[in-house]
Amino acid sequence: MADEVLSQFQQKKEAEKIDADRKFRIGIIGTGGIANAHCGAYKDMPDVEIVAGADIIPGKADRFFKAHGLEGVHTYTNHVEMLEKEDLDAVSVCTYNTQHAVCVIDALKRGIHVLVEKPMSVTTEEAVEMMRAEKESGKVLSIGFQPRFDGNMQMIKKIVQSGTLGEIYYIQTGGGRRRGIPGSTFIEKRTAGIGAMGDIGCYALDAVLNAVDYPKPLTVSGYTSDFFGKNPKYNGADAARFDVDDFAAAFVRLEGGIILDFRISWAMHANTPGDSLILGKEGALRIPSTDCWNGSVGGPMTLYHDVAGRQTETTIPLVPGTNLWHGKIRSFLDAIKYNRPSPIPSSQILYNQAIIDHIVKSAEVGHEIPVVIPEI
C-alpha cells in the first residue's frame, strides 16, 4: 500500500540545456555573506558574466570578487552609480533587509531584472512599492526562496495539491533553534528591521503557504520577544545592540477558512517549537521540525490517512538533495531568457511579508488586527 501511495508523487527529471551564445550581464548589490552563494551559482552558469558589484564599505566589493577569482569586475560604493554606469541585464540584491526595497526599486526603474534575497522587505508597504515598480517596469522580480527547489519541499506541495488530504483547514508551521542567534547585521533594527521572523520564519511560512497556493491573510494575532538576544548570558557582547525579535508566534486567519499557527525561534529552552502539520478533512501530513537554517525538512514526512476504514500511516522518504542555489539562479535567468513568469513571484511573497509585518504590529498593540495590504 505504501508504494501505491508514494507512486502518486514521483518526480520526473528532464535534462537541462543552456544556450550560452549570449551572456547575461550581472551585477551584485551587497557583497556580504549571502552574496557568496549568488556569485558561486552565477559562476557555474555558462551564459553569465558578472560585470559589476556594489557595496557601501570601500574596498569590500574588490576583495569579494578577488576572493572569487573574478577579474575586471567594476566595483562601486553606491548602487545607484553602478546602475547608471553599467549595461546590466539583471542584479542580485544581497544587502541587509532594510535596503532591499530601495535597491530593488532603483534597479527596476532602470529596466533591470532583479533577484532579491529573502525576506522580500521589512514592511508590507515596502513590498507593495516594490511590486508597483515591478509592474511599471515589466521586468522579472524573483524573491530568494531557494528551498522551493528542494525535492522535499516540492513533495509537500505535490501531496497537498493531489487532494490526498482533502480540504485543508489547519496548518501549524515554524521551527527554530535552541541556540542560534546570528550576529552581524541580523540583530539590529536599523539594518535587519526584523529578526528571527525575517531570517528563518519566512522559510517556514513559504513551505506551507506555497503548498496551499498562498491564500490571502485576513487577521493576525502576534507575539514577539527578545529575552535571549538581549541577555549577555546567552548573547555575549551582542546583547547590547540586539533590538529585534528572537522568538515569534502568531495565529493567522487565511482566506478559505484555513487557520495558520506559526512559531519561530533563534533561541529558547527547547529543541523545537514543534513539527509542521497540514490537517485536511481526508488526511494529514506531518513535516519533522528543523533548526531552519535554510527552511529544509527535518526528516521523512508522515502521511496520516484512512485505508479501507483503517487508520494508516505512510512514511514519505526523503528526496535526495539537489543544488538549491543552482535552481534558484537558473530559474531566474530562464524566466528572463524565455519570457516566463517570475519563478518565485512577488504576488505570493507579498502575503508572506504581510504576515510577518502584521505579527510585529499585532505584538505592539497586544491584540488581533486585520491584515491591510494597499492596492498595487
Side-chain angles (χ1 to χ4, degrees):
M1 177 56 70
D3 291 342
E4 206 173 296
V5 173
L6 291 173
S7 68
Q8 303 175 59
F9 314 117
Q10 297 303 312
Q11 304 192 71
K12 296 179 180 179
K13 300 288 184 181
E14 294 181 3
E16 178 185 300
K17 294 182 180 179
I18 298 174
D19 178 4
D21 288 345
R22 179 188 179 280
K23 292 186 181 292
F24 288 99
R25 293 176 60 82
I26 300 294
I28 297 176
I29 302 176
T31 56
I34 201 66
N36 289 291
H38 284 252
C39 187
Y42 281 128
K43 284 172 60 181
D44 286 340
M45 304 293 170
D47 55 348
V48 165
E49 181 182 8
I50 300 173
V51 299
D55 196 290
I56 60 175
I57 299 175
K60 186 176 179 181
D62 289 318
R63 293 190 295 273
F64 173 84
F65 291 114
K66 183 179 180 180
H68 280 275
L70 295 173
E71 298 180 357
V73 179
H74 298 162
T75 59
Y76 303 83
T77 55
N78 185 308
H79 76 277
V80 174
E81 184 181 3
M82 183 189 81
L83 295 173
E84 289 176 344
K85 290 187 176 181
E86 298 291 335
D87 178 20
L88 299 172
D89 295 303
V91 294
S92 275
V93 174
C94 303
T95 63
Y96 44 79
N97 301 346
T98 57
Q99 294 302 300
H100 282 185
V102 64
C103 292
V104 168
I105 291 169
D106 286 343
L108 289 171
K109 284 185 174 180
R110 286 166 176 79
I112 299 169
H113 303 281
V114 181
L115 170 60
V116 61
E117 259 309 314
K118 60 80 192 168
M120 182 176 178
S121 60
V122 173
T123 68
T124 309
E125 291 75 18
E126 286 177 340
V128 167
E129 288 302 318
M130 293 162 73
M131 291 181 66
R132 287 172 177 163
E134 175 191 19
K135 184 177 180 180
E136 291 173 5
S137 70
K139 299 300 179 179
V140 173
L141 171 59
S142 187
I143 320 301
F145 282 80
Q146 68 275 3
R148 287 274 191 105
F149 301 96
D150 173 59
N152 299 292
M153 291 295 179
Q154 293 170 358
M155 183 67 76
I156 295 170
K157 185 166 186 175
K158 282 175 175 285
I159 292 171
V160 172
Q161 297 289 319
S162 73
T164 299
L165 306 185
E167 182 182 351
I168 306 301
Y169 61 90
Y170 172 88
I171 298 172
Q172 173 180 302
T173 195
R177 311 163 187 162
R178 182 169 181 170
R179 296 290 187 275
I181 300 174
S184 186
T185 61
F186 285 88
I187 63 173
E188 296 182 75
K189 281 186 179 178
R190 67 181 182 85
T191 50
I194 42 182
M197 287 188 291
D199 179 31
I200 55 179
C202 60
Y203 283 142
L205 288 171
D206 189 66
V208 293
L209 292 176
N210 181 47
V212 294
D213 291 330
Y214 261 98
K216 183 179 180 180
L218 302 176
T219 65
V220 171
S221 180
Y223 169 84
T224 64
S225 61
D226 54 12
F227 304 130
F228 290 79
K230 286 189 172 180
N231 189 334
K233 177 180 178 181
Y234 301 110
N235 203 25
D238 277 348
R241 64 187 183 95
F242 192 97
D243 62 355
V244 293
D245 57 280
D246 62 32
F247 179 87
F251 194 76
V252 184
R253 297 184 183 276
L254 306 172
E255 274 189 346
I258 300 175
I259 298 300
L260 174 67
D261 183 354
F262 168 73
R263 66 292 295 268
I264 202 75
S265 172
W266 269 345
M268 58 185 166
H269 288 303
N271 65 332
T272 175
D275 291 346
S276 290
L277 291 169
I278 302 177
L279 303 184
K281 294 181 180 179
E282 300 297 329
L285 183 67
R286 179 180 293 276
I287 306 158
S289 64
T290 167
D291 64 8
C292 281
W293 289 100
N294 65 353
S296 61
V297 171
M301 296 180 283
T302 303
L303 174 65
Y304 299 89
H305 54 128
D306 290 355
V307 176
R310 296 191 64 179
Q311 296 178 27
T312 304
E313 299 176 13
T314 300
T315 298
I316 310 296
L318 288 176
V319 177
T322 58
N323 188 331
L324 305 185
W325 282 89
H326 177 92
K328 174 174 171 173
I329 299 295
R330 189 68 249 166
S331 65
F332 170 60
L333 297 175
D334 285 348
I336 299 169
K337 180 177 284 190
Y338 302 114
N339 196 30
R340 296 173 182 168
S342 172
I344 305 178
S346 59
S347 58
Q348 292 182 347
I349 309 305
L350 170 64
Y351 291 163
N352 188 306
Q353 196 64 49
I355 289 172
I356 291 172
D357 183 31
H358 284 76
I359 291 172
V360 174
K361 292 173 178 174
S362 171
E364 288 174 349
V365 298
H367 57 74
E368 184 178 61
I369 60 173
V371 175
V372 178
I373 302 176
E375 291 292 324
I376 306 301

